[in-house]
Amino acid sequence: MPAAGTPAPGRKRSVSEIRQRVLGSLVLLALATASADDSADCASFDLVGDGIPQPLGERVGNPDAGRQVAADRQRGDCSICHQLPLPHARFHGNVGPDLSAIGARLTPAQLRLRVAANRHLNPESVMPDYGLSRGRHDVATAFEDRPILTDQEIEDVVAWLSTLDGSGP
Ligand code: HEC
């Protein structure tokens, strides 16, 4: 004799299994829809693997300009969190990884995704998405509707990072 509450064998059990599966699919569907909405931010980027192979806006990056963008407190300000070969930067942070030789480890495509939309890789990251304007509530009003960096500035930063091989400024 089955204990009270235990589903009887046969038809009854399969009905509740079906019900559970339908509920499960609904939950999965809801999750899938939610994450599709989140990643809509990256729709304008041509993602391949963990990189963006195409230069943004077909811009050609200039490493010297990129160095200035990275050092500029109003634009990149990257050294607040990263070790970088910028001898005059006020503070070299260690919140993020040391980038002094990042050009030897990541391709331009990988660098582009990390600078433009790092939260696509790590939604919890403290590093801002420099190329996205949506979904950013942690920034000054001036930045709310536009990305922190322009396509050109991102390409400049990527070009500069690509030159970094640990040999210094
Ligand atoms: C608020 C802190 C912060 C700022 C500002 C910041 N980053 Fe980051 N960055 C991080 C952290 C933390 C990581 C580690 C990965 C993660 O959290 O997703 C990271 C990872 C990276 C990576 C990947 C490194 C690796 O070893 O794979 C690159 C490249 C990068 N940042 C470049 C930049 C550039 C360029 C700037 C400026 C335009 C910048 N970051 C500004 C915090 C920051």
Side-chain angles (χ1 to χ4, degrees), residues 88-102:
H88 303 300
R90 66 207 156 107
F91 168 68
H92 288 292
N94 57 6
V95 174
D98 184 338
L99 300 181
S100 325
I102 195 69

Side-chain angles (χ1 to χ4, degrees), residues 104-120:
R105 204 159 57 72
L106 297 181
T107 64
Q110 290 174 313
L111 291 169
R112 192 171 286 116
L113 174 57
R114 283 149 182 81
V115 177
N118 187 54
R119 286 181 187 154
H120 180 76

Side-chain angles (χ1 to χ4, degrees), residues 2-141:
T6 308
R11 205 168 147 259
K12 251 191 181 163
R13 180 188 280 163
S14 67
V15 166
S16 80
E17 269 176 12
I18 288 169
R19 196 175 290 150
Q20 259 176 14
R21 281 201 194 147
V22 169
L23 270 179
S25 317
L26 284 178
V27 169
L28 282 180
L29 187 69
L31 286 175
T33 316
S35 66
D37 279 352
D38 291 341
S39 63
D41 273 341
C42 289
S44 52
F45 299 130
D46 222 346
L47 286 171
V48 177
D50 72 336
I52 304 172
Q54 290 300 317
L56 305 187
E58 296 180 16
R59 305 293 175 140
V60 177
N62 173 322
D64 291 335
R67 188 170 182 275
Q68 286 174 24
V69 172
D72 189 335
R73 294 175 68 171
Q74 303 299 320
R75 296 188 288 169
D77 207 11
C78 315
S79 58
I80 199 171
C81 293
H82 291 285
Q83 182 75 41
L84 277 163
L86 293 170
H88 303 300
R90 66 207 156 107
F91 168 68
H92 288 292
N94 57 6
V95 174
D98 184 338
L99 300 181
S100 325
I102 195 69
R105 204 159 57 72
L106 297 181
T107 64
Q110 290 174 313
L111 291 169
R112 192 171 286 116
L113 174 57
R114 283 149 182 81
V115 177
N118 187 54
R119 286 181 187 154
H120 180 76
L121 296 170
N122 174 10
E124 307 297 317
S125 183
V126 293
M127 177 167 159
D129 289 331
Y130 284 88
L132 296 175
S133 48
R134 284 197 283 149
R136 297 174 48 233
H137 310 293
D138 55 343
V139 293
T141 337

Side-chain angles (χ1 to χ4, degrees), residues 142-154:
F143 286 124
E144 255 172 18
D145 298 329
R146 59 185 177 90
I148 306 175
L149 298 181
T150 64
D151 287 355
Q152 182 66 59
E153 288 168 331
I154 289 175

